[in-house]
Amino acid sequence: MGQLIVVNFVSLDGVMQSVLSADEDRDGGFDEGGWVLRYVDDEVERFMSGATAGAGALLLGRRTYEIFAGTWPYADMADPAVAAMNAMPKYVASRTLKDLSWANSALLGADLVAEVGRITAATESETVVLGSGDLLRTLIEHDLVDEYRLLVFPLLLGDGKKLFADGRPARRLTLTATRSTPSGVLINTYRRGLGA
């Protein structure tokens, strides 16, 4: 059975909103978009390239899918992570999208929990979730995430959409790996329920 892996950027106070550009997600008046870029060093790039190229599939929410579909098909296919991303299956959770233009993309049905179970049962590889805040809240609520690979950036944003919403049940995770990059980003890997 495959594993569901979350790979995400978060600020020290847990914000994951609008990481790469100012216009990515201004919901709630968020005006700190693009906060990741000043911290991206060679270590961060290598980690993200490996996490992407090593995935067997992507699971994405609508907004993240639309951003990626507007970028990755046109990126340099000589980059192994770009080539992998364009070739791998991409599963999209959306109530509004009807047509998916990015190659190897499939729209999931209404029962997201069952669909994710079907995807992970049908593969031995990792299905990776990038971005996709609304989708993540559903996955976390139903305890479907096997591993979190979080890149924690050394800044406090105060406001913004958080990775972990308040009011969820307590869950135990085990830190299985950690390292820091030259720019001060911590790359932490947490597994679900080990040693709990």
Side-chain angles (χ1 to χ4, degrees):
M1 184 163 172
Q3 301 284 302
L4 187 64
I5 310 295
V6 168
V7 178
N8 240 314
F9 301 135
V10 295
S11 66
L12 191 58
D13 55 346
V15 174
M16 62 172 288
Q17 185 172 359
S18 200
V19 297
L20 296 177
S21 77
D23 294 323
E24 186 177 328
D25 181 0
R26 291 188 180 270
D27 288 357
F30 189 74
D31 62 0
E32 296 292 334
W35 52 270
V36 160
L37 298 177
R38 73 186 81 134
Y39 299 100
V40 174
D41 55 32
D42 290 344
E43 278 291 310
V44 170
E45 286 183 358
R46 267 193 300 279
F47 177 81
M48 290 305 296
S49 180
T52 304
L58 292 177
L59 174 59
L60 305 169
R62 180 204 45 89
R63 188 186 312 237
T64 301
Y65 175 82
E66 288 179 325
I67 292 167
F68 284 12
T71 304
W72 293 111
Y74 313 103
D76 182 3
M77 291 290 282
D79 181 325
V82 173
M85 225 175 186
N86 282 307
M88 73 179 62
K90 290 161 280 287
Y91 301 101
V92 184
S94 174
R95 293 181 199 94
T96 57
L97 285 178
K98 301 293 180 225
D99 297 312
L100 303 178
S101 60
W102 193 8
N104 306 311
S105 296
L107 197 57
L108 297 178
D111 187 346
L112 183 62
V113 173
E115 293 276 3
V116 170
R118 179 184 59 77
I119 292 165
T120 55
T123 181
E124 292 297 318
S125 61
E126 295 178 351
T127 299
V128 171
V129 183
L130 302 168
S132 307
D134 290 340
L135 168 62
L136 279 176
R137 281 182 272 293
T138 301
L139 299 174
I140 292 166
E141 178 183 348
H142 293 281
D143 198 23
L144 297 175
V145 178
D146 295 298
E147 184 172 282
Y148 296 90
R149 298 176 190 161
L150 303 181
L151 291 87
V152 183
F153 287 72
L155 79 160
L156 301 171
L157 291 169
D159 292 322
K161 294 177 184 175
K162 305 265 190 233
L163 175 58
F164 299 105
D166 291 337
R168 298 287 179 231
R171 297 228 170 82
R172 295 187 68 142
L173 303 172
T174 299
L175 179 68
T176 60
T178 189
R179 69 178 190 256
S180 63
T181 76
S183 64
V185 176
L186 291 177
I187 302 175
N188 297 328
T189 301
Y190 301 92
R191 292 286 300 168
R192 175 177 55 188
L194 296 178

